[in-house]
Short mmCIF file of all heavy atoms in Angstrom, two decimals:
data_model
loop_
_atom_site.label_atom_id
_atom_site.label_comp_id
_atom_site.label_asym_id
_atom_site.label_seq_id
_atom_site.Cartn_x
_atom_site.Cartn_y
_atom_site.Cartn_z
N SER A 1 10.00 -10.79 -25.54
CA SER A 1 8.98 -9.79 -25.83
C SER A 1 7.63 -10.23 -25.30
O SER A 1 7.43 -11.39 -24.93
CB SER A 1 8.91 -9.53 -27.33
OG SER A 1 8.59 -10.71 -28.04
N TRP A 2 6.68 -9.30 -25.30
CA TRP A 2 5.37 -9.57 -24.70
C TRP A 2 4.64 -10.73 -25.38
O TRP A 2 3.89 -11.46 -24.72
CB TRP A 2 4.49 -8.32 -24.74
CG TRP A 2 4.06 -7.91 -26.11
CD1 TRP A 2 4.72 -7.10 -26.99
CD2 TRP A 2 2.85 -8.31 -26.78
NE1 TRP A 2 4.01 -6.97 -28.16
CE2 TRP A 2 2.86 -7.70 -28.05
CE3 TRP A 2 1.77 -9.12 -26.42
CZ2 TRP A 2 1.82 -7.89 -28.97
CZ3 TRP A 2 0.74 -9.31 -27.34
CH2 TRP A 2 0.77 -8.69 -28.59
N ASN A 3 4.87 -10.91 -26.69
CA ASN A 3 4.20 -11.98 -27.41
C ASN A 3 5.09 -13.21 -27.61
O ASN A 3 4.69 -14.16 -28.27
CB ASN A 3 3.69 -11.48 -28.76
CG ASN A 3 4.80 -10.99 -29.68
OD1 ASN A 3 5.97 -11.02 -29.33
ND2 ASN A 3 4.41 -10.53 -30.85
N GLY A 4 6.29 -13.18 -27.05
CA GLY A 4 7.20 -14.31 -27.16
C GLY A 4 7.92 -14.42 -28.47
O GLY A 4 8.70 -15.37 -28.66
N ALA A 5 7.72 -13.48 -29.40
CA ALA A 5 8.31 -13.59 -30.72
C ALA A 5 9.80 -13.30 -30.74
O ALA A 5 10.51 -13.79 -31.63
CB ALA A 5 7.59 -12.65 -31.69
N ASN A 6 10.27 -12.50 -29.81
CA ASN A 6 11.66 -12.09 -29.80
C ASN A 6 12.31 -12.44 -28.47
O ASN A 6 11.75 -12.17 -27.41
CB ASN A 6 11.78 -10.58 -30.05
CG ASN A 6 11.14 -10.15 -31.35
OD1 ASN A 6 10.10 -9.47 -31.36
ND2 ASN A 6 11.75 -10.55 -32.45
N THR A 7 13.49 -13.03 -28.55
CA THR A 7 14.29 -13.31 -27.38
C THR A 7 15.70 -12.80 -27.59
O THR A 7 16.18 -12.72 -28.73
CB THR A 7 14.33 -14.81 -27.04
OG1 THR A 7 14.84 -15.54 -28.18
CG2 THR A 7 12.94 -15.33 -26.71
N TYR A 8 16.36 -12.46 -26.51
CA TYR A 8 17.70 -11.90 -26.57
C TYR A 8 18.50 -12.47 -25.40
O TYR A 8 18.19 -12.20 -24.24
CB TYR A 8 17.63 -10.38 -26.52
CG TYR A 8 18.94 -9.64 -26.43
CD1 TYR A 8 20.09 -10.13 -27.04
CD2 TYR A 8 19.02 -8.43 -25.75
CE1 TYR A 8 21.29 -9.44 -26.96
CE2 TYR A 8 20.21 -7.73 -25.67
CZ TYR A 8 21.35 -8.24 -26.27
OH TYR A 8 22.53 -7.54 -26.20
N TYR A 9 19.53 -13.26 -25.70
CA TYR A 9 20.35 -13.91 -24.69
C TYR A 9 21.74 -13.30 -24.64
O TYR A 9 22.33 -12.99 -25.68
CB TYR A 9 20.52 -15.40 -25.00
CG TYR A 9 19.27 -16.22 -24.95
CD1 TYR A 9 18.41 -16.30 -26.04
CD2 TYR A 9 18.94 -16.96 -23.81
CE1 TYR A 9 17.26 -17.07 -26.00
CE2 TYR A 9 17.80 -17.74 -23.76
CZ TYR A 9 16.96 -17.79 -24.86
OH TYR A 9 15.83 -18.57 -24.81
N THR A 10 22.28 -13.17 -23.44
CA THR A 10 23.68 -12.80 -23.33
C THR A 10 24.52 -13.98 -23.82
O THR A 10 24.12 -15.14 -23.73
CB THR A 10 24.04 -12.41 -21.88
OG1 THR A 10 25.31 -11.78 -21.85
CG2 THR A 10 24.06 -13.62 -20.97
N ASP A 11 25.69 -13.68 -24.38
CA ASP A 11 26.50 -14.71 -25.04
C ASP A 11 26.85 -15.89 -24.13
O ASP A 11 26.91 -17.03 -24.59
CB ASP A 11 27.79 -14.09 -25.59
CG ASP A 11 27.56 -13.24 -26.81
OD1 ASP A 11 26.49 -13.35 -27.43
OD2 ASP A 11 28.47 -12.47 -27.16
N SER A 12 27.07 -15.63 -22.87
CA SER A 12 27.55 -16.68 -21.97
C SER A 12 26.52 -17.77 -21.70
O SER A 12 26.89 -18.85 -21.21
CB SER A 12 28.01 -16.07 -20.65
OG SER A 12 26.95 -15.46 -19.96
N VAL A 13 25.24 -17.53 -22.00
CA VAL A 13 24.21 -18.54 -21.72
C VAL A 13 23.57 -19.10 -22.98
O VAL A 13 22.73 -20.00 -22.88
CB VAL A 13 23.12 -17.99 -20.78
CG1 VAL A 13 23.74 -17.41 -19.51
CG2 VAL A 13 22.25 -16.96 -21.48
N LYS A 14 23.95 -18.61 -24.14
CA LYS A 14 23.36 -19.09 -25.38
C LYS A 14 23.61 -20.59 -25.55
O LYS A 14 24.72 -21.06 -25.34
CB LYS A 14 23.94 -18.34 -26.58
CG LYS A 14 23.45 -16.91 -26.70
CD LYS A 14 24.06 -16.23 -27.92
CE LYS A 14 23.56 -14.81 -28.06
NZ LYS A 14 24.20 -14.11 -29.20
N GLY A 15 22.57 -21.31 -25.92
CA GLY A 15 22.67 -22.74 -26.09
C GLY A 15 22.47 -23.54 -24.83
O GLY A 15 22.32 -24.76 -24.88
N ARG A 16 22.46 -22.87 -23.67
CA ARG A 16 22.28 -23.54 -22.39
C ARG A 16 20.98 -23.14 -21.69
O ARG A 16 20.35 -23.97 -21.04
CB ARG A 16 23.46 -23.25 -21.46
CG ARG A 16 24.80 -23.72 -22.00
CD ARG A 16 25.91 -23.61 -20.95
NE ARG A 16 26.11 -22.22 -20.52
CZ ARG A 16 25.95 -21.79 -19.27
NH1 ARG A 16 25.58 -22.64 -18.32
NH2 ARG A 16 26.18 -20.52 -18.97
N PHE A 17 20.61 -21.87 -21.79
CA PHE A 17 19.41 -21.35 -21.13
C PHE A 17 18.32 -21.11 -22.16
O PHE A 17 18.60 -20.73 -23.31
CB PHE A 17 19.70 -20.03 -20.43
CG PHE A 17 20.59 -20.12 -19.21
CD1 PHE A 17 21.29 -21.27 -18.91
CD2 PHE A 17 20.72 -19.02 -18.39
CE1 PHE A 17 22.12 -21.34 -17.79
CE2 PHE A 17 21.53 -19.07 -17.26
CZ PHE A 17 22.24 -20.22 -16.96
N THR A 18 17.07 -21.28 -21.75
CA THR A 18 15.93 -21.02 -22.61
C THR A 18 14.86 -20.28 -21.82
O THR A 18 14.44 -20.75 -20.77
CB THR A 18 15.33 -22.31 -23.17
OG1 THR A 18 16.33 -23.04 -23.90
CG2 THR A 18 14.18 -21.99 -24.13
N ILE A 19 14.42 -19.13 -22.34
CA ILE A 19 13.34 -18.39 -21.71
C ILE A 19 12.04 -18.69 -22.45
O ILE A 19 12.03 -18.89 -23.67
CB ILE A 19 13.63 -16.87 -21.70
CG1 ILE A 19 12.62 -16.13 -20.82
CG2 ILE A 19 13.65 -16.30 -23.11
CD1 ILE A 19 12.96 -14.67 -20.58
N SER A 20 10.95 -18.74 -21.72
CA SER A 20 9.64 -18.93 -22.31
C SER A 20 8.61 -18.23 -21.43
O SER A 20 8.89 -17.90 -20.28
CB SER A 20 9.30 -20.41 -22.47
OG SER A 20 9.27 -21.07 -21.22
N ARG A 21 7.43 -18.01 -21.98
CA ARG A 21 6.37 -17.40 -21.18
C ARG A 21 5.03 -18.02 -21.53
O ARG A 21 4.79 -18.44 -22.66
CB ARG A 21 6.34 -15.87 -21.36
CG ARG A 21 5.94 -15.38 -22.73
CD ARG A 21 6.16 -13.86 -22.84
NE ARG A 21 5.36 -13.12 -21.88
CZ ARG A 21 5.53 -11.83 -21.59
NH1 ARG A 21 6.50 -11.14 -22.20
NH2 ARG A 21 4.74 -11.24 -20.70
N ASP A 22 4.18 -18.09 -20.53
CA ASP A 22 2.83 -18.58 -20.69
C ASP A 22 1.92 -17.47 -20.20
O ASP A 22 1.70 -17.32 -19.00
CB ASP A 22 2.62 -19.86 -19.88
CG ASP A 22 1.27 -20.49 -20.11
OD1 ASP A 22 0.34 -19.78 -20.56
OD2 ASP A 22 1.12 -21.69 -19.83
N ASN A 23 1.42 -16.67 -21.13
CA ASN A 23 0.63 -15.51 -20.75
C ASN A 23 -0.70 -15.89 -20.09
O ASN A 23 -1.23 -15.12 -19.30
CB ASN A 23 0.38 -14.62 -21.97
CG ASN A 23 1.62 -13.87 -22.41
OD1 ASN A 23 2.59 -13.76 -21.66
ND2 ASN A 23 1.60 -13.35 -23.62
N ALA A 24 -1.23 -17.06 -20.43
CA ALA A 24 -2.45 -17.51 -19.79
C ALA A 24 -2.25 -17.74 -18.30
O ALA A 24 -3.18 -17.60 -17.51
CB ALA A 24 -2.97 -18.79 -20.45
N LYS A 25 -1.02 -18.09 -17.91
CA LYS A 25 -0.68 -18.31 -16.51
C LYS A 25 0.06 -17.13 -15.91
O LYS A 25 0.42 -17.17 -14.73
CB LYS A 25 0.16 -19.57 -16.36
CG LYS A 25 -0.53 -20.85 -16.76
CD LYS A 25 0.37 -22.05 -16.55
CE LYS A 25 -0.34 -23.34 -16.92
NZ LYS A 25 0.54 -24.53 -16.73
N ASN A 26 0.30 -16.09 -16.70
CA ASN A 26 1.06 -14.93 -16.25
C ASN A 26 2.40 -15.34 -15.64
O ASN A 26 2.79 -14.85 -14.57
CB ASN A 26 0.25 -14.11 -15.25
CG ASN A 26 -0.99 -13.49 -15.85
OD1 ASN A 26 -2.10 -13.75 -15.41
ND2 ASN A 26 -0.80 -12.67 -16.87
N THR A 27 3.09 -16.22 -16.33
CA THR A 27 4.33 -16.78 -15.81
C THR A 27 5.40 -16.81 -16.89
O THR A 27 5.11 -17.14 -18.04
CB THR A 27 4.11 -18.19 -15.26
OG1 THR A 27 3.11 -18.16 -14.23
CG2 THR A 27 5.40 -18.75 -14.66
N VAL A 28 6.62 -16.48 -16.51
CA VAL A 28 7.78 -16.62 -17.38
C VAL A 28 8.72 -17.62 -16.75
O VAL A 28 8.82 -17.70 -15.51
CB VAL A 28 8.46 -15.25 -17.63
CG1 VAL A 28 9.02 -14.68 -16.34
CG2 VAL A 28 9.54 -15.39 -18.69
N TYR A 29 9.40 -18.41 -17.58
CA TYR A 29 10.27 -19.47 -17.10
C TYR A 29 11.68 -19.27 -17.63
O TYR A 29 11.89 -18.70 -18.71
CB TYR A 29 9.77 -20.84 -17.56
CG TYR A 29 8.36 -21.14 -17.15
CD1 TYR A 29 7.30 -20.91 -18.03
CD2 TYR A 29 8.07 -21.68 -15.90
CE1 TYR A 29 5.99 -21.19 -17.66
CE2 TYR A 29 6.77 -21.96 -15.53
CZ TYR A 29 5.74 -21.72 -16.41
OH TYR A 29 4.44 -22.01 -16.04
N LEU A 30 12.65 -19.77 -16.89
CA LEU A 30 14.02 -19.83 -17.36
C LEU A 30 14.53 -21.24 -17.12
O LEU A 30 14.78 -21.63 -15.98
CB LEU A 30 14.91 -18.81 -16.64
CG LEU A 30 16.37 -18.78 -17.10
CD1 LEU A 30 16.46 -18.36 -18.57
CD2 LEU A 30 17.20 -17.85 -16.23
N GLN A 31 14.66 -22.01 -18.20
CA GLN A 31 15.23 -23.35 -18.13
C GLN A 31 16.73 -23.23 -18.27
O GLN A 31 17.22 -22.71 -19.28
CB GLN A 31 14.66 -24.24 -19.23
CG GLN A 31 15.23 -25.65 -19.25
CD GLN A 31 14.83 -26.45 -18.04
OE1 GLN A 31 13.67 -26.46 -17.66
NE2 GLN A 31 15.80 -27.12 -17.42
N MET A 32 17.47 -23.70 -17.28
CA MET A 32 18.92 -23.59 -17.26
C MET A 32 19.52 -24.98 -17.28
O MET A 32 19.34 -25.76 -16.34
CB MET A 32 19.39 -22.82 -16.02
CG MET A 32 18.74 -21.44 -15.87
SD MET A 32 19.42 -20.50 -14.48
CE MET A 32 18.86 -21.51 -13.11
N ASN A 33 20.23 -25.30 -18.35
CA ASN A 33 20.89 -26.58 -18.51
C ASN A 33 22.41 -26.39 -18.55
O ASN A 33 22.90 -25.30 -18.78
CB ASN A 33 20.43 -27.27 -19.79
CG ASN A 33 18.96 -27.56 -19.82
OD1 ASN A 33 18.35 -27.86 -18.79
ND2 ASN A 33 18.36 -27.50 -21.01
N SER A 34 23.13 -27.48 -18.35
CA SER A 34 24.59 -27.46 -18.39
C SER A 34 25.15 -26.34 -17.52
O SER A 34 26.03 -25.57 -17.94
CB SER A 34 25.08 -27.33 -19.83
OG SER A 34 24.61 -28.39 -20.63
N LEU A 35 24.66 -26.25 -16.31
CA LEU A 35 25.05 -25.16 -15.42
C LEU A 35 26.52 -25.21 -15.05
O LEU A 35 27.10 -26.29 -14.90
CB LEU A 35 24.19 -25.18 -14.16
CG LEU A 35 22.78 -24.63 -14.35
CD1 LEU A 35 21.87 -25.07 -13.22
CD2 LEU A 35 22.81 -23.10 -14.43
N LYS A 36 27.11 -24.04 -14.91
CA LYS A 36 28.51 -23.87 -14.57
C LYS A 36 28.63 -23.09 -13.27
O LYS A 36 27.73 -22.31 -12.93
CB LYS A 36 29.24 -23.11 -15.68
CG LYS A 36 29.14 -23.74 -17.06
CD LYS A 36 29.78 -22.85 -18.11
CE LYS A 36 29.68 -23.48 -19.49
NZ LYS A 36 30.28 -22.60 -20.53
N PRO A 37 29.73 -23.24 -12.54
CA PRO A 37 29.90 -22.47 -11.29
C PRO A 37 29.77 -20.96 -11.50
O PRO A 37 29.26 -20.27 -10.62
CB PRO A 37 31.31 -22.85 -10.84
CG PRO A 37 31.49 -24.23 -11.36
CD PRO A 37 30.81 -24.24 -12.70
N GLU A 38 30.17 -20.46 -12.65
CA GLU A 38 30.06 -19.03 -12.91
C GLU A 38 28.63 -18.56 -13.12
O GLU A 38 28.39 -17.35 -13.22
CB GLU A 38 30.94 -18.62 -14.11
CG GLU A 38 30.71 -19.47 -15.35
CD GLU A 38 31.75 -20.58 -15.50
OE1 GLU A 38 32.05 -21.26 -14.49
OE2 GLU A 38 32.26 -20.76 -16.62
N ASP A 39 27.68 -19.48 -13.18
CA ASP A 39 26.27 -19.11 -13.24
C ASP A 39 25.70 -18.79 -11.86
O ASP A 39 24.55 -18.35 -11.76
CB ASP A 39 25.44 -20.24 -13.86
CG ASP A 39 25.77 -20.49 -15.32
OD1 ASP A 39 25.95 -19.51 -16.07
OD2 ASP A 39 25.84 -21.67 -15.71
N THR A 40 26.48 -19.02 -10.82
CA THR A 40 26.03 -18.78 -9.46
C THR A 40 25.68 -17.31 -9.24
O THR A 40 26.41 -16.41 -9.66
CB THR A 40 27.11 -19.22 -8.46
OG1 THR A 40 27.25 -20.63 -8.52
CG2 THR A 40 26.74 -18.82 -7.04
N GLY A 41 24.57 -17.06 -8.56
CA GLY A 41 24.17 -15.71 -8.23
C GLY A 41 22.71 -15.66 -7.86
O GLY A 41 22.00 -16.66 -7.88
N VAL A 42 22.26 -14.46 -7.50
CA VAL A 42 20.84 -14.23 -7.26
C VAL A 42 20.20 -13.85 -8.58
O VAL A 42 20.65 -12.92 -9.25
CB VAL A 42 20.61 -13.12 -6.22
CG1 VAL A 42 19.12 -12.87 -6.02
CG2 VAL A 42 21.27 -13.49 -4.89
N TYR A 43 19.17 -14.58 -8.96
CA TYR A 43 18.48 -14.34 -10.22
C TYR A 43 17.20 -13.55 -9.97
O TYR A 43 16.39 -13.90 -9.11
CB TYR A 43 18.15 -15.67 -10.90
CG TYR A 43 19.34 -16.27 -11.60
CD1 TYR A 43 20.42 -16.74 -10.87
CD2 TYR A 43 19.40 -16.35 -12.99
CE1 TYR A 43 21.54 -17.27 -11.50
CE2 TYR A 43 20.51 -16.88 -13.63
CZ TYR A 43 21.57 -17.34 -12.88
OH TYR A 43 22.68 -17.87 -13.51
N TYR A 44 17.04 -12.47 -10.74
CA TYR A 44 15.91 -11.57 -10.59
C TYR A 44 15.07 -11.56 -11.86
O TYR A 44 15.60 -11.49 -12.97
CB TYR A 44 16.37 -10.13 -10.33
CG TYR A 44 17.14 -9.94 -9.05
CD1 TYR A 44 18.52 -10.04 -9.02
CD2 TYR A 44 16.48 -9.64 -7.87
CE1 TYR A 44 19.24 -9.85 -7.86
CE2 TYR A 44 17.18 -9.45 -6.69
CZ TYR A 44 18.56 -9.55 -6.69
OH TYR A 44 19.26 -9.36 -5.53
N CYS A 45 13.78 -11.59 -11.69
CA CYS A 45 12.83 -11.41 -12.78
C CYS A 45 12.47 -9.94 -12.87
O CYS A 45 12.34 -9.26 -11.85
CB CYS A 45 11.59 -12.26 -12.51
SG CYS A 45 10.31 -12.16 -13.77
N ALA A 46 12.32 -9.42 -14.10
CA ALA A 46 12.00 -8.02 -14.30
C ALA A 46 10.98 -7.86 -15.42
O ALA A 46 10.92 -8.69 -16.34
CB ALA A 46 13.26 -7.22 -14.63
#
């Protein structure tokens, strides 16, 4: 969410991926740990 209070993860990445945002920098991040071959793809920000 815009204020970072709410996050919603698809089941396949829960516990491995973490989203965060720094509004002062106008930047959102996706930390991806324990990556699997099925995570392969083009990742888009929206």
Side-chain angles (χ1 to χ4, degrees):
S1 60
W2 69 272
N3 61 0
N6 303 110
T7 57
Y8 174 33
Y9 295 84
T10 193
D11 287 344
S12 64
V13 307
K14 287 180 179 177
R16 300 189 298 119
F17 291 11
T18 303
I19 191 171
S20 62
R21 67 189 299 167
D22 185 340
N23 287 344
K25 297 181 178 180
N26 295 120
T27 302
V28 64
Y29 304 95
L30 181 63
Q31 179 67 47
M32 305 185 294
N33 299 325
S34 301
L35 283 162
K36 303 175 180 179
E38 51 263 45
D39 294 318
T40 293
V42 178
Y43 282 68
Y44 297 92
C45 180

